[in-house]
Amino acid sequence: MTRRHVRVVGAMLQNEMGRYLITQRPPTASLPLLWEFPGGRVEEGEHDAVALARELQEEMGVHIEVLEQVMHTRHEYPTYDIDFRVFRCRLSHPDAEIHHLRVHDHRWVALEEMGQYRFPDADAKTLARLLDLDH
């Protein structure tokens, strides 16, 4: 049986106060109610930046500008593999209201507060790098 490989993109969105946007997965999703960087799957033939902008529009009704890729990690879950790329992004309209269209909740959190939230393993690896704990 061939393992499934899923390419996923995430947004590292920072507000003017230096806090990062994290979102909570819906209770009916895989890995329910865990927190993550907003984003999602890249569809076949889709570019990472296009996928990321589409996902944030679908999940929260916000428009973003995708800047540079800041991290790349791979993670093996029991039944599939994730190729996870995180991009620095900014809201096209900094005062845009975030809607919970396909997310359960959202928070703007400081790096030192991230440990208070439970993340999927792939996101946890990214957080470790972000917090410079991945040595």
Side-chain angles (χ1 to χ4, degrees):
M1 189 170 165
T2 305
R3 287 180 63 81
R4 228 172 17 119
H5 297 278
V6 181
R7 185 165 180 140
V8 177
V9 288
M12 185 180 291
L13 274 163
Q14 192 174 16
N15 67 13
E16 62 282 348
M17 295 181 301
R19 295 179 165 275
Y20 292 89
L21 180 66
I22 59 172
T23 55
Q24 189 177 38
R25 297 175 65 84
T28 56
S30 62
L31 307 171
L33 299 176
L34 295 184
W35 292 86
E36 63 187 357
F37 291 111
R41 292 184 187 192
V42 178
E43 295 177 0
E44 188 69 34
E46 193 174 33
H47 291 287
D48 290 346
V50 172
L52 191 51
R54 174 186 53 76
E55 285 286 343
L56 270 71
Q57 173 63 36
E58 291 173 358
E59 291 179 351
M60 298 177 291
V62 296
H63 296 281
I64 60 165
E65 296 172 46
V66 179
L67 307 172
E68 75 276 6
Q69 179 178 313
V70 292
M71 285 177 227
H72 178 216
T73 189
R74 288 182 167 80
H75 184 77
E76 293 180 7
Y77 284 102
T79 58
Y80 59 95
D81 298 329
I82 293 284
D83 179 340
F84 184 45
R85 297 163 193 261
V86 178
F87 293 82
R88 188 175 314 281
C89 300
R90 71 173 155 243
L91 291 171
S92 297
H93 306 284
D95 56 347
E97 184 177 343
I98 295 174
H99 301 277
H100 298 162
L101 304 174
R102 293 190 183 168
V103 299
H104 188 67
D105 202 356
H106 80 279
R107 299 273 190 281
W108 289 96
V109 298
L111 282 179
E112 58 272 10
E113 298 169 334
M114 294 275 187
Q116 300 170 25
Y117 298 87
R118 186 153 176 253
F119 287 82
D121 292 341
D123 283 75
K125 282 183 178 180
T126 302
L127 272 176
R129 287 188 185 154
L130 186 61
L131 294 168
D132 202 27
L133 301 175
D134 195 44
H135 296 301

